[in-house]
Short mmCIF file of all heavy atoms in Angstrom, two decimals:
data_model
loop_
_atom_site.label_atom_id
_atom_site.label_comp_id
_atom_site.label_asym_id
_atom_site.label_seq_id
_atom_site.Cartn_x
_atom_site.Cartn_y
_atom_site.Cartn_z
N GLU A 92 35.79 -32.64 52.37
CA GLU A 92 34.86 -31.60 51.91
C GLU A 92 35.61 -30.44 51.26
O GLU A 92 35.23 -29.97 50.18
CB GLU A 92 34.00 -31.10 53.07
CG GLU A 92 32.93 -30.13 52.64
CD GLU A 92 32.01 -29.74 53.79
OE1 GLU A 92 32.00 -30.40 54.84
OE2 GLU A 92 31.30 -28.73 53.63
N GLU A 93 36.68 -30.00 51.89
CA GLU A 93 37.49 -28.90 51.35
C GLU A 93 38.04 -29.25 49.97
O GLU A 93 37.96 -28.45 49.03
CB GLU A 93 38.65 -28.59 52.30
CG GLU A 93 39.68 -27.64 51.74
CD GLU A 93 41.01 -27.68 52.48
OE1 GLU A 93 41.13 -28.41 53.49
OE2 GLU A 93 41.94 -27.00 52.02
N LEU A 94 38.60 -30.45 49.84
CA LEU A 94 39.21 -30.86 48.58
C LEU A 94 38.16 -31.06 47.49
O LEU A 94 38.33 -30.61 46.36
CB LEU A 94 40.02 -32.13 48.77
CG LEU A 94 41.23 -32.00 49.71
CD1 LEU A 94 41.81 -33.36 50.04
CD2 LEU A 94 42.26 -31.05 49.14
N THR A 95 37.06 -31.70 47.84
CA THR A 95 35.99 -31.94 46.87
C THR A 95 35.38 -30.61 46.41
O THR A 95 35.25 -30.37 45.20
CB THR A 95 34.91 -32.85 47.46
OG1 THR A 95 35.51 -34.10 47.84
CG2 THR A 95 33.79 -33.11 46.47
N ASN A 96 35.02 -29.76 47.35
CA ASN A 96 34.43 -28.46 46.99
C ASN A 96 35.42 -27.60 46.21
O ASN A 96 35.04 -26.88 45.28
CB ASN A 96 33.94 -27.72 48.22
CG ASN A 96 32.74 -28.38 48.86
OD1 ASN A 96 32.08 -29.22 48.26
ND2 ASN A 96 32.47 -28.02 50.10
N GLY A 97 36.68 -27.66 46.58
CA GLY A 97 37.70 -26.86 45.90
C GLY A 97 37.86 -27.25 44.44
O GLY A 97 37.92 -26.38 43.57
N ILE A 98 37.91 -28.54 44.16
CA ILE A 98 38.08 -28.96 42.76
C ILE A 98 36.80 -28.72 41.97
O ILE A 98 36.84 -28.30 40.82
CB ILE A 98 38.57 -30.43 42.66
CG1 ILE A 98 38.99 -30.76 41.23
CG2 ILE A 98 37.55 -31.42 43.13
CD1 ILE A 98 40.19 -30.05 40.72
N LEU A 99 35.64 -28.94 42.58
CA LEU A 99 34.38 -28.72 41.87
C LEU A 99 34.16 -27.23 41.57
O LEU A 99 33.52 -26.88 40.58
CB LEU A 99 33.20 -29.28 42.66
CG LEU A 99 33.17 -30.81 42.78
CD1 LEU A 99 31.98 -31.25 43.63
CD2 LEU A 99 33.14 -31.48 41.42
N ALA A 100 34.73 -26.35 42.39
CA ALA A 100 34.62 -24.91 42.14
C ALA A 100 35.40 -24.49 40.90
O ALA A 100 35.20 -23.39 40.38
CB ALA A 100 35.11 -24.13 43.36
N CYS A 101 36.27 -25.35 40.40
CA CYS A 101 37.06 -25.05 39.21
C CYS A 101 36.31 -25.35 37.91
O CYS A 101 36.78 -24.97 36.83
CB CYS A 101 38.37 -25.86 39.22
SG CYS A 101 39.44 -25.47 40.62
N VAL A 102 35.16 -26.01 38.02
CA VAL A 102 34.39 -26.34 36.81
C VAL A 102 33.85 -25.05 36.21
O VAL A 102 33.26 -24.21 36.90
CB VAL A 102 33.23 -27.31 37.13
CG1 VAL A 102 32.35 -27.52 35.91
CG2 VAL A 102 33.78 -28.64 37.62
N ALA A 103 34.08 -24.90 34.92
CA ALA A 103 33.62 -23.70 34.20
C ALA A 103 32.16 -23.90 33.80
O ALA A 103 31.83 -24.86 33.12
CB ALA A 103 34.48 -23.48 32.96
N GLY A 104 31.33 -23.00 34.25
CA GLY A 104 29.93 -23.05 33.84
C GLY A 104 29.78 -22.45 32.45
O GLY A 104 30.76 -22.02 31.82
N PRO A 105 28.55 -22.39 31.96
CA PRO A 105 28.33 -21.74 30.66
C PRO A 105 28.78 -20.27 30.74
O PRO A 105 28.55 -19.60 31.74
CB PRO A 105 26.82 -21.82 30.46
CG PRO A 105 26.33 -22.83 31.44
CD PRO A 105 27.32 -22.88 32.56
N LEU A 106 29.42 -19.80 29.70
CA LEU A 106 29.88 -18.41 29.68
C LEU A 106 28.70 -17.45 29.56
O LEU A 106 27.74 -17.73 28.84
CB LEU A 106 30.87 -18.19 28.53
CG LEU A 106 32.18 -18.97 28.66
CD1 LEU A 106 33.07 -18.72 27.44
CD2 LEU A 106 32.91 -18.61 29.93
N ARG A 107 28.79 -16.33 30.24
CA ARG A 107 27.70 -15.34 30.25
C ARG A 107 27.65 -14.52 28.98
O ARG A 107 26.59 -14.02 28.61
CB ARG A 107 27.87 -14.38 31.43
CG ARG A 107 27.77 -15.02 32.78
CD ARG A 107 28.00 -14.01 33.89
NE ARG A 107 29.39 -13.53 33.84
CZ ARG A 107 29.83 -12.45 34.47
NH1 ARG A 107 29.01 -11.70 35.16
NH2 ARG A 107 31.10 -12.10 34.38
N PHE A 108 28.79 -14.32 28.31
CA PHE A 108 28.86 -13.41 27.18
C PHE A 108 29.24 -14.17 25.91
O PHE A 108 30.08 -15.07 25.94
CB PHE A 108 29.87 -12.29 27.44
CG PHE A 108 29.62 -11.56 28.74
CD1 PHE A 108 30.51 -11.66 29.80
CD2 PHE A 108 28.48 -10.79 28.91
CE1 PHE A 108 30.28 -11.00 31.00
CE2 PHE A 108 28.24 -10.13 30.10
CZ PHE A 108 29.14 -10.23 31.15
N ASN A 109 28.64 -13.77 24.81
CA ASN A 109 28.94 -14.34 23.50
C ASN A 109 29.89 -13.44 22.74
O ASN A 109 30.05 -12.25 23.07
CB ASN A 109 27.65 -14.50 22.69
CG ASN A 109 26.72 -15.50 23.32
OD1 ASN A 109 27.12 -16.60 23.68
ND2 ASN A 109 25.46 -15.12 23.48
N VAL A 110 30.52 -13.98 21.71
CA VAL A 110 31.34 -13.17 20.83
C VAL A 110 30.47 -12.06 20.26
O VAL A 110 29.33 -12.30 19.84
CB VAL A 110 31.95 -14.03 19.70
CG1 VAL A 110 32.63 -13.17 18.65
CG2 VAL A 110 32.92 -15.05 20.28
N GLY A 111 30.97 -10.83 20.31
CA GLY A 111 30.22 -9.66 19.86
C GLY A 111 29.52 -8.90 20.97
O GLY A 111 29.11 -7.75 20.77
N ASP A 112 29.39 -9.51 22.15
CA ASP A 112 28.74 -8.82 23.27
C ASP A 112 29.61 -7.68 23.80
O ASP A 112 30.83 -7.78 23.83
CB ASP A 112 28.44 -9.79 24.41
CG ASP A 112 27.25 -10.68 24.16
OD1 ASP A 112 26.58 -10.52 23.12
OD2 ASP A 112 26.99 -11.57 25.01
N ARG A 113 28.96 -6.61 24.21
CA ARG A 113 29.62 -5.47 24.84
C ARG A 113 29.81 -5.77 26.33
O ARG A 113 28.89 -6.24 26.99
CB ARG A 113 28.77 -4.21 24.67
CG ARG A 113 28.45 -3.88 23.22
CD ARG A 113 29.58 -3.20 22.47
NE ARG A 113 29.93 -1.98 23.17
CZ ARG A 113 31.18 -1.53 23.29
NH1 ARG A 113 32.17 -2.17 22.74
NH2 ARG A 113 31.44 -0.43 23.94
N VAL A 114 31.01 -5.51 26.83
CA VAL A 114 31.34 -5.80 28.22
C VAL A 114 32.21 -4.68 28.80
O VAL A 114 32.65 -3.79 28.07
CB VAL A 114 32.08 -7.15 28.35
CG1 VAL A 114 31.20 -8.32 27.95
CG2 VAL A 114 33.39 -7.15 27.56
N GLN A 115 32.45 -4.78 30.08
CA GLN A 115 33.42 -3.95 30.78
C GLN A 115 34.55 -4.89 31.22
O GLN A 115 34.30 -5.84 31.98
CB GLN A 115 32.79 -3.30 32.02
CG GLN A 115 31.70 -2.31 31.72
CD GLN A 115 32.27 -0.98 31.28
OE1 GLN A 115 33.34 -0.56 31.72
NE2 GLN A 115 31.56 -0.31 30.39
N ALA A 116 35.77 -4.66 30.73
CA ALA A 116 36.91 -5.52 31.06
C ALA A 116 37.76 -4.85 32.13
O ALA A 116 38.04 -3.65 32.04
CB ALA A 116 37.75 -5.77 29.82
N ARG A 117 38.17 -5.61 33.10
CA ARG A 117 39.04 -5.07 34.14
C ARG A 117 40.41 -4.78 33.54
O ARG A 117 41.05 -5.66 32.97
CB ARG A 117 39.17 -6.06 35.29
CG ARG A 117 39.97 -5.50 36.43
CD ARG A 117 39.97 -6.42 37.60
NE ARG A 117 40.75 -5.86 38.68
CZ ARG A 117 40.92 -6.47 39.82
NH1 ARG A 117 40.35 -7.64 40.02
NH2 ARG A 117 41.64 -5.92 40.75
N THR A 118 40.84 -3.54 33.70
CA THR A 118 42.13 -3.12 33.14
C THR A 118 43.05 -2.50 34.19
O THR A 118 44.15 -2.06 33.87
CB THR A 118 41.92 -2.13 31.98
OG1 THR A 118 41.09 -1.05 32.44
CG2 THR A 118 41.26 -2.81 30.79
N GLY A 119 42.58 -2.46 35.43
CA GLY A 119 43.38 -1.91 36.51
C GLY A 119 42.82 -2.37 37.84
O GLY A 119 41.83 -3.09 37.89
N GLU A 120 43.45 -1.92 38.91
CA GLU A 120 43.04 -2.32 40.26
C GLU A 120 41.53 -2.15 40.47
O GLU A 120 40.85 -3.07 40.87
CB GLU A 120 43.81 -1.51 41.30
CG GLU A 120 43.53 -1.90 42.73
CD GLU A 120 44.12 -3.26 43.11
OE1 GLU A 120 45.14 -3.66 42.53
OE2 GLU A 120 43.54 -3.91 43.98
N ASP A 121 41.01 -0.97 40.21
CA ASP A 121 39.57 -0.71 40.33
C ASP A 121 39.05 -0.09 39.04
O ASP A 121 38.13 0.73 39.08
CB ASP A 121 39.30 0.24 41.51
CG ASP A 121 39.65 -0.40 42.84
OD1 ASP A 121 39.26 -1.57 43.04
OD2 ASP A 121 40.32 0.24 43.67
N GLU A 122 39.63 -0.45 37.93
CA GLU A 122 39.30 0.20 36.65
C GLU A 122 38.76 -0.83 35.66
O GLU A 122 39.31 -1.91 35.49
CB GLU A 122 40.57 0.84 36.09
CG GLU A 122 40.37 1.59 34.81
CD GLU A 122 41.68 2.19 34.30
OE1 GLU A 122 42.62 2.35 35.09
OE2 GLU A 122 41.74 2.49 33.10
N TYR A 123 37.67 -0.45 35.02
CA TYR A 123 37.07 -1.27 33.95
C TYR A 123 36.99 -0.41 32.69
O TYR A 123 36.69 0.78 32.77
CB TYR A 123 35.69 -1.76 34.35
CG TYR A 123 35.73 -2.85 35.38
CD1 TYR A 123 35.88 -2.55 36.73
CD2 TYR A 123 35.63 -4.18 35.01
CE1 TYR A 123 35.93 -3.56 37.68
CE2 TYR A 123 35.67 -5.20 35.95
CZ TYR A 123 35.82 -4.87 37.29
OH TYR A 123 35.88 -5.87 38.23
N THR A 124 37.24 -1.02 31.55
CA THR A 124 37.23 -0.34 30.27
C THR A 124 36.24 -1.03 29.35
O THR A 124 36.22 -2.26 29.28
CB THR A 124 38.63 -0.36 29.63
OG1 THR A 124 39.56 0.23 30.55
CG2 THR A 124 38.67 0.40 28.32
N PRO A 125 35.39 -0.25 28.64
CA PRO A 125 34.43 -0.90 27.73
C PRO A 125 35.13 -1.58 26.56
O PRO A 125 36.19 -1.14 26.10
CB PRO A 125 33.56 0.26 27.25
CG PRO A 125 34.21 1.52 27.65
CD PRO A 125 35.26 1.20 28.66
N GLY A 126 34.52 -2.67 26.11
CA GLY A 126 35.07 -3.40 24.99
C GLY A 126 34.07 -4.41 24.45
O GLY A 126 32.92 -4.46 24.87
N THR A 127 34.55 -5.23 23.52
CA THR A 127 33.72 -6.23 22.85
C THR A 127 34.40 -7.59 22.94
O THR A 127 35.61 -7.70 22.68
CB THR A 127 33.52 -5.86 21.37
OG1 THR A 127 32.95 -4.55 21.30
CG2 THR A 127 32.62 -6.85 20.66
N VAL A 128 33.65 -8.61 23.30
CA VAL A 128 34.18 -9.97 23.33
C VAL A 128 34.48 -10.39 21.90
O VAL A 128 33.61 -10.31 21.02
CB VAL A 128 33.17 -10.95 23.97
CG1 VAL A 128 33.66 -12.39 23.84
CG2 VAL A 128 32.90 -10.59 25.42
N ILE A 129 35.73 -10.80 21.64
CA ILE A 129 36.09 -11.23 20.29
C ILE A 129 36.40 -12.73 20.22
O ILE A 129 36.49 -13.28 19.13
CB ILE A 129 37.25 -10.40 19.70
CG1 ILE A 129 38.50 -10.48 20.58
CG2 ILE A 129 36.81 -8.96 19.48
CD1 ILE A 129 39.71 -9.80 19.97
N GLU A 130 36.57 -13.37 21.38
CA GLU A 130 36.81 -14.81 21.37
C GLU A 130 36.52 -15.39 22.75
O GLU A 130 36.73 -14.73 23.77
CB GLU A 130 38.25 -15.11 20.97
CG GLU A 130 38.46 -16.56 20.61
CD GLU A 130 39.75 -16.81 19.85
OE1 GLU A 130 40.35 -15.85 19.33
OE2 GLU A 130 40.14 -17.97 19.77
N GLN A 131 36.04 -16.63 22.76
CA GLN A 131 35.85 -17.38 23.99
C GLN A 131 36.90 -18.47 24.08
O GLN A 131 37.31 -19.04 23.08
CB GLN A 131 34.46 -18.04 24.02
CG GLN A 131 33.32 -17.06 24.08
CD GLN A 131 31.97 -17.77 24.07
OE1 GLN A 131 31.82 -18.84 23.51
NE2 GLN A 131 30.99 -17.15 24.70
N TRP A 132 37.34 -18.75 25.28
CA TRP A 132 38.35 -19.77 25.58
C TRP A 132 39.59 -19.62 24.71
O TRP A 132 40.08 -20.56 24.11
CB TRP A 132 37.76 -21.18 25.50
CG TRP A 132 36.72 -21.38 26.56
CD1 TRP A 132 35.40 -21.65 26.36
CD2 TRP A 132 36.90 -21.27 27.97
NE1 TRP A 132 34.75 -21.71 27.56
CE2 TRP A 132 35.65 -21.48 28.58
CE3 TRP A 132 37.98 -21.00 28.79
CZ2 TRP A 132 35.45 -21.45 29.96
CZ3 TRP A 132 37.80 -20.96 30.17
CH2 TRP A 132 36.55 -21.18 30.73
N ASP A 133 40.10 -18.40 24.68
CA ASP A 133 41.33 -18.09 23.96
C ASP A 133 42.51 -18.32 24.90
O ASP A 133 42.60 -17.66 25.94
CB ASP A 133 41.29 -16.63 23.49
CG ASP A 133 42.53 -16.23 22.72
OD1 ASP A 133 42.88 -16.95 21.78
OD2 ASP A 133 43.13 -15.20 23.07
N GLU A 134 43.38 -19.23 24.55
CA GLU A 134 44.54 -19.55 25.38
C GLU A 134 44.12 -19.84 26.83
O GLU A 134 44.76 -19.39 27.78
CB GLU A 134 45.59 -18.43 25.32
CG GLU A 134 46.13 -18.21 23.92
CD GLU A 134 47.10 -17.05 23.84
OE1 GLU A 134 47.41 -16.43 24.88
OE2 GLU A 134 47.55 -16.76 22.73
N TYR A 135 43.04 -20.56 26.98
CA TYR A 135 42.48 -21.01 28.28
C TYR A 135 41.84 -19.88 29.08
O TYR A 135 41.35 -20.12 30.17
CB TYR A 135 43.53 -21.76 29.11
CG TYR A 135 44.21 -22.81 28.30
CD1 TYR A 135 45.54 -22.68 27.95
CD2 TYR A 135 43.51 -23.90 27.81
CE1 TYR A 135 46.17 -23.63 27.16
CE2 TYR A 135 44.12 -24.86 27.02
CZ TYR A 135 45.45 -24.71 26.70
OH TYR A 135 46.06 -25.65 25.92
N HIS A 136 41.82 -18.68 28.56
CA HIS A 136 41.10 -17.56 29.19
C HIS A 136 39.64 -17.63 28.74
O HIS A 136 39.36 -17.94 27.59
CB HIS A 136 41.68 -16.21 28.75
CG HIS A 136 43.08 -15.98 29.19
ND1 HIS A 136 44.17 -16.44 28.48
CD2 HIS A 136 43.57 -15.34 30.27
CE1 HIS A 136 45.27 -16.08 29.10
NE2 HIS A 136 44.94 -15.42 30.19
N ALA A 137 38.73 -17.31 29.64
CA ALA A 137 37.31 -17.34 29.29
C ALA A 137 37.01 -16.42 28.10
O ALA A 137 36.23 -16.79 27.22
CB ALA A 137 36.46 -16.95 30.50
N TYR A 138 37.64 -15.25 28.07
CA TYR A 138 37.36 -14.28 27.00
C TYR A 138 38.62 -13.56 26.54
O TYR A 138 39.53 -13.31 27.34
CB TYR A 138 36.40 -13.19 27.47
CG TYR A 138 35.09 -13.68 28.00
CD1 TYR A 138 34.83 -13.68 29.37
CD2 TYR A 138 34.10 -14.12 27.14
CE1 TYR A 138 33.62 -14.13 29.86
CE2 TYR A 138 32.87 -14.57 27.63
CZ TYR A 138 32.65 -14.57 28.98
OH TYR A 138 31.44 -15.02 29.46
N ARG A 139 38.61 -13.18 25.27
CA ARG A 139 39.55 -12.17 24.75
C ARG A 139 38.67 -11.00 24.36
O ARG A 139 37.65 -11.15 23.67
CB ARG A 139 40.35 -12.67 23.56
CG ARG A 139 41.38 -11.63 23.11
CD ARG A 139 42.46 -12.20 22.22
NE ARG A 139 41.96 -13.09 21.21
CZ ARG A 139 42.16 -12.94 19.90
NH1 ARG A 139 42.87 -11.94 19.45
NH2 ARG A 139 41.68 -13.81 19.05
N ILE A 140 39.06 -9.80 24.78
CA ILE A 140 38.23 -8.61 24.63
C ILE A 140 39.01 -7.52 23.92
O ILE A 140 40.15 -7.19 24.30
CB ILE A 140 37.77 -8.11 26.02
CG1 ILE A 140 36.99 -9.22 26.74
CG2 ILE A 140 36.95 -6.83 25.91
CD1 ILE A 140 36.86 -9.02 28.23
N GLN A 141 38.38 -6.96 22.89
CA GLN A 141 38.95 -5.80 22.18
C GLN A 141 38.46 -4.56 22.91
O GLN A 141 37.25 -4.33 23.02
CB GLN A 141 38.48 -5.77 20.73
CG GLN A 141 38.94 -4.55 19.96
CD GLN A 141 40.45 -4.53 19.78
OE1 GLN A 141 41.01 -5.48 19.24
NE2 GLN A 141 41.09 -3.47 20.23
N LEU A 142 39.37 -3.76 23.42
CA LEU A 142 38.99 -2.54 24.15
C LEU A 142 38.60 -1.45 23.16
O LEU A 142 39.19 -1.32 22.08
CB LEU A 142 40.14 -2.07 25.03
CG LEU A 142 40.59 -3.07 26.11
CD1 LEU A 142 41.77 -2.51 26.89
CD2 LEU A 142 39.44 -3.44 27.04
N ASP A 143 37.59 -0.67 23.53
CA ASP A 143 37.11 0.42 22.68
C ASP A 143 38.19 1.47 22.47
O ASP A 143 38.86 1.88 23.43
CB ASP A 143 35.89 1.10 23.32
CG ASP A 143 34.65 0.24 23.28
OD1 ASP A 143 34.69 -0.87 22.70
OD2 ASP A 143 33.62 0.67 23.84
N GLY A 144 38.34 1.90 21.22
CA GLY A 144 39.24 3.00 20.91
C GLY A 144 40.71 2.69 21.10
O GLY A 144 41.53 3.60 21.14
N GLU A 145 41.07 1.43 21.24
CA GLU A 145 42.46 1.04 21.44
C GLU A 145 42.79 -0.14 20.54
O GLU A 145 41.91 -0.91 20.16
CB GLU A 145 42.71 0.61 22.89
CG GLU A 145 42.49 1.68 23.93
CD GLU A 145 42.86 1.20 25.33
OE1 GLU A 145 43.82 0.39 25.45
OE2 GLU A 145 42.23 1.64 26.28
N GLU A 146 44.04 -0.30 20.24
CA GLU A 146 44.48 -1.51 19.54
C GLU A 146 44.64 -2.66 20.52
O GLU A 146 44.68 -3.82 20.13
CB GLU A 146 45.81 -1.25 18.82
CG GLU A 146 45.69 -0.31 17.64
CD GLU A 146 47.02 -0.18 16.92
OE1 GLU A 146 47.86 -1.09 17.00
OE2 GLU A 146 47.19 0.87 16.26
N ARG A 147 44.69 -2.32 21.78
CA ARG A 147 44.98 -3.30 22.83
C ARG A 147 43.80 -4.25 23.05
O ARG A 147 42.64 -3.84 23.07
CB ARG A 147 45.30 -2.56 24.13
CG ARG A 147 45.67 -3.44 25.28
CD ARG A 147 46.23 -2.66 26.44
NE ARG A 147 45.27 -1.74 27.00
CZ ARG A 147 45.03 -1.62 28.31
NH1 ARG A 147 45.68 -2.36 29.16
NH2 ARG A 147 44.15 -0.75 28.73
N GLN A 148 44.15 -5.50 23.24
CA GLN A 148 43.18 -6.52 23.62
C GLN A 148 43.60 -7.07 24.97
O GLN A 148 44.78 -7.09 25.31
CB GLN A 148 43.15 -7.67 22.59
CG GLN A 148 42.73 -7.21 21.22
CD GLN A 148 42.86 -8.32 20.19
OE1 GLN A 148 43.39 -9.39 20.44
NE2 GLN A 148 42.38 -8.04 18.99
N VAL A 149 42.62 -7.51 25.76
CA VAL A 149 42.90 -8.09 27.07
C VAL A 149 42.19 -9.42 27.19
O VAL A 149 41.22 -9.69 26.47
CB VAL A 149 42.49 -7.15 28.22
CG1 VAL A 149 43.29 -5.86 28.21
CG2 VAL A 149 41.00 -6.85 28.18
N HIS A 150 42.67 -10.22 28.11
CA HIS A 150 42.03 -11.50 28.42
C HIS A 150 41.32 -11.39 29.77
O HIS A 150 41.81 -10.72 30.68
CB HIS A 150 43.06 -12.63 28.54
CG HIS A 150 43.55 -13.10 27.22
ND1 HIS A 150 44.80 -12.79 26.74
CD2 HIS A 150 42.97 -13.87 26.28
CE1 HIS A 150 44.96 -13.35 25.56
NE2 HIS A 150 43.87 -14.01 25.25
N ALA A 151 40.21 -12.09 29.88
CA ALA A 151 39.55 -12.29 31.17
C ALA A 151 39.72 -13.77 31.49
O ALA A 151 39.13 -14.62 30.81
CB ALA A 151 38.07 -11.91 31.10
#
Side-chain angles (χ1 to χ4, degrees):
E92 185 175 345
E93 170 198 356
L94 296 170
T95 301
N96 291 344
I98 191 67
L99 293 178
C101 298
V102 174
L106 295 178
R107 296 178 293 165
F108 307 113
N109 295 311
V110 171
D112 284 356
R113 303 281 302 143
V114 295
Q115 294 282 327
R117 184 174 180 180
T118 53
E120 184 71 29
D121 294 314
E122 183 180 340
Y123 287 81
T124 303
T127 303
V128 173
I129 58 174
E130 194 164 344
Q131 294 179 330
W132 295 118
D133 181 51
E134 298 177 3
Y135 311 111
H136 295 85
Y138 303 105
R139 184 163 44 123
I140 301 162
Q141 176 66 56
L142 299 178
D143 288 356
E145 297 185 33
E146 290 184 25
R147 183 169 63 132
Q148 298 174 352
V149 296
H150 283 105

